[in-house]
Amino acid sequence: MEKSDIGHHISQQYNEELEDLRNRVLAMGGMVEKQIADAVEALAEGDVELADHVITSDYEVNAMEVSIDEECTLILARRQPAASDLRLIVAVIKTITDLERIGDQAEKVAHMALRLANAERPKNNYHEILNMGRHVKEMLHSALDAFARLDIDAAVQVAHEDIIVDNQYEAIMRQRITHMMEDPRSIARSLDVMWSARALERIGDHSRNISEYVIYLVRGKDVRHISLKKMEEAVKQD
Amino acid sequence: MEKSDIGHHISQQYNEELEDLRNRVLAMGGMVEKQIADAVEALAEGDVELADHVITSDYEVNAMEVSIDEECTLILARRQPAASDLRLIVAVIKTITDLERIGDQAEKVAHMALRLANAERPKNNYHEILNMGRHVKEMLHSALDAFARLDIDAAVQVAHEDIIVDNQYEAIMRQRITHMMEDPRSIARSLDVMWSARALERIGDHSRNISEYVIYLVRGKDVRHISLKKMEEAVKQD
């Protein structure tokens, strides 16, 4: 129902431009999802080649950000969008910034993967990082899905997930600090695990940001910087 | 000279709206600069009250972001800006996102200040953090100055400074890792110092982002994701 509000114009070409814009954001999102999955797998498997691939392909994500940004500015200048179309453009400008920064975080994890590949491997093969990585990748996927389907309930769900990720992160940090104190020889390795967890936690934050733009796009309400409860109230109101 | 390009309209009121927008970004920037200075001072002096103040006043920065964002959308809808006016709006939308995230980083430093206030203080009173904090605050100030004066040379200078900050950061990290290995009892405190340094390094990155938007605003060129050398070339060309 909401979807039909967005995308009805006299100009067929304008419609296609907006549709194309949405598709390119989703394509960029898919690329970034893959970066996360690859970076985390590279770390868990000690796969140097895969880590290198994540690092060298970061430029593709950057290029997409620049190109989508240009398209937004062109549409703003030519079509002078109003109402929900304008909100779409603003949401896209913000979303791709977060996507690009997720790519940066994935690249950081890939760098840690390279360093850890040469270190002694723990028995659990960095299971906690693999788990957290899967979780934030799911979060990003859900946020992009919510964007594609203009699904504000799914967007709110992403905000819920972010709290779980924050708790996972805190648990990893506590565990690692204990480990470092018990075995100072593990300090360098533990720090790399901590930086990786931190990067994944940031990916959760960026995914939450994206879901907030979906709510702005659909409801016209800015739900940043408010509690989850208030966000749910804002979504319920019509 | 460049300044005169931006801001000449038949409508005096439109002119005033854009001028007001610029001023509000600078006001938000000034607020965030103060957050950095206070957070770093709180850490260096062990000043719990000042750290609390930074944390509780973060909502003001957030509120400014939301309000400036609304103003941008209103101007886009009502005035349908073109050319350099449109670039100004896009640059502002991006700049305030970075400013808000700088505020978040300052808040993180303030949290570290609270924790470190109860820990044994090092002889140098966290001199390295104080130094790095002053440096990134200067960077932000220069980036905002470049925005106010549309000064692209100053903007390029900020990108140069970011490299120096990255080196400061690496030096602090190396020093802390050595310290942790030598004295495992210092691990918790060292980690707090490392997180603080990381937050300041991120502030350097955000300030560089802001200076890149200034170049986009003045030159219409997207200079993100390129080397400093290419950035300088892009700025030189007319």
Side-chain angles (χ1 to χ4, degrees), chain B residues 70-220:
Chain B
E70 273 172 16
E71 197 174 328
C72 286
T73 318
L74 271 181
I75 294 177
L76 282 173
R78 280 198 205 140
R79 301 293 184 179
Q80 305 173 338
S84 64
D85 296 334
L86 179 54
R87 291 204 305 274
L88 172 66
I89 306 291
V90 171
V92 166
I93 289 175
K94 290 175 182 286
T95 297
I96 58 174
T97 306
D98 283 276
L99 285 177
E100 190 271 329
R101 289 180 187 167
I102 293 177
D104 284 348
Q105 299 298 336
E107 199 190 333
K108 277 184 198 165
V109 174
H111 279 289
M112 297 302 150
L114 283 185
R115 294 212 321 221
L116 289 169
N118 299 318
E120 193 196 335
R121 305 190 66 72
K123 266 174 271 169
N124 77 352
N125 263 330
Y126 305 110
H127 188 66
E128 72 278 33
I129 294 290
L130 195 61
N131 260 352
M132 196 177 165
R134 280 185 188 140
H135 199 155
V136 296
K137 181 180 166 284
E138 278 306 308
M139 265 181 80
L140 173 59
H141 189 82
S142 303
L144 291 168
D145 236 37
F147 172 80
R149 295 185 284 109
L150 301 172
D151 182 341
I152 51 177
D153 294 322
V156 171
Q157 189 53 39
V158 172
H160 275 285
E161 293 294 322
D162 193 33
I163 293 171
I164 300 170
V165 168
D166 287 350
N167 290 337
Q168 283 181 312
Y169 169 69
E170 292 299 336
I172 292 176
M173 298 308 272
R174 276 195 304 272
Q175 187 201 44
R176 282 291 153 181
I177 292 172
T178 309
H179 200 61
M180 283 162 97
M181 289 178 172
E182 283 168 5
D183 177 12
R185 288 166 308 160
S186 79
I187 286 177
R189 194 178 71 186
S190 276
L191 280 172
D192 283 337
V193 174
M194 286 164 100
W195 297 129
S196 302
R198 175 77 136 203
L200 296 175
E201 187 264 338
R202 295 293 301 137
I203 291 176
D205 290 344
H206 287 297
S207 302
R208 179 183 168 143
N209 291 346
I210 293 172
S211 74
E212 289 172 351
Y213 309 142
V214 173
I215 296 171
Y216 162 77
L217 170 56
V218 176
R219 281 280 191 260

Side-chain angles (χ1 to χ4, degrees), chain A residues 215-229:
Chain A
I215 296 171
Y216 162 76
L217 170 55
V218 176
R219 281 280 191 261
K221 280 177 192 158
D222 196 323
V223 294
R224 295 175 296 187
H225 318 306
I226 61 176
S227 68
L228 199 52
K229 194 159 166 275

Side-chain angles (χ1 to χ4, degrees), chain A residues 88-106:
Chain A
L88 172 67
I89 306 290
V90 172
V92 167
I93 290 175
K94 289 174 183 287
T95 296
I96 59 174
T97 307
D98 283 277
L99 285 176
E100 189 270 328
R101 288 178 190 169
I102 293 176
D104 285 347
Q105 299 297 336

Side-chain angles (χ1 to χ4, degrees), chain B residues 223-234:
Chain B
V223 294
R224 294 174 296 185
H225 317 305
I226 61 176
S227 68
L228 199 53
K229 193 157 167 277
K230 282 197 177 153
M231 183 198 274
E232 282 171 339
E233 283 166 15

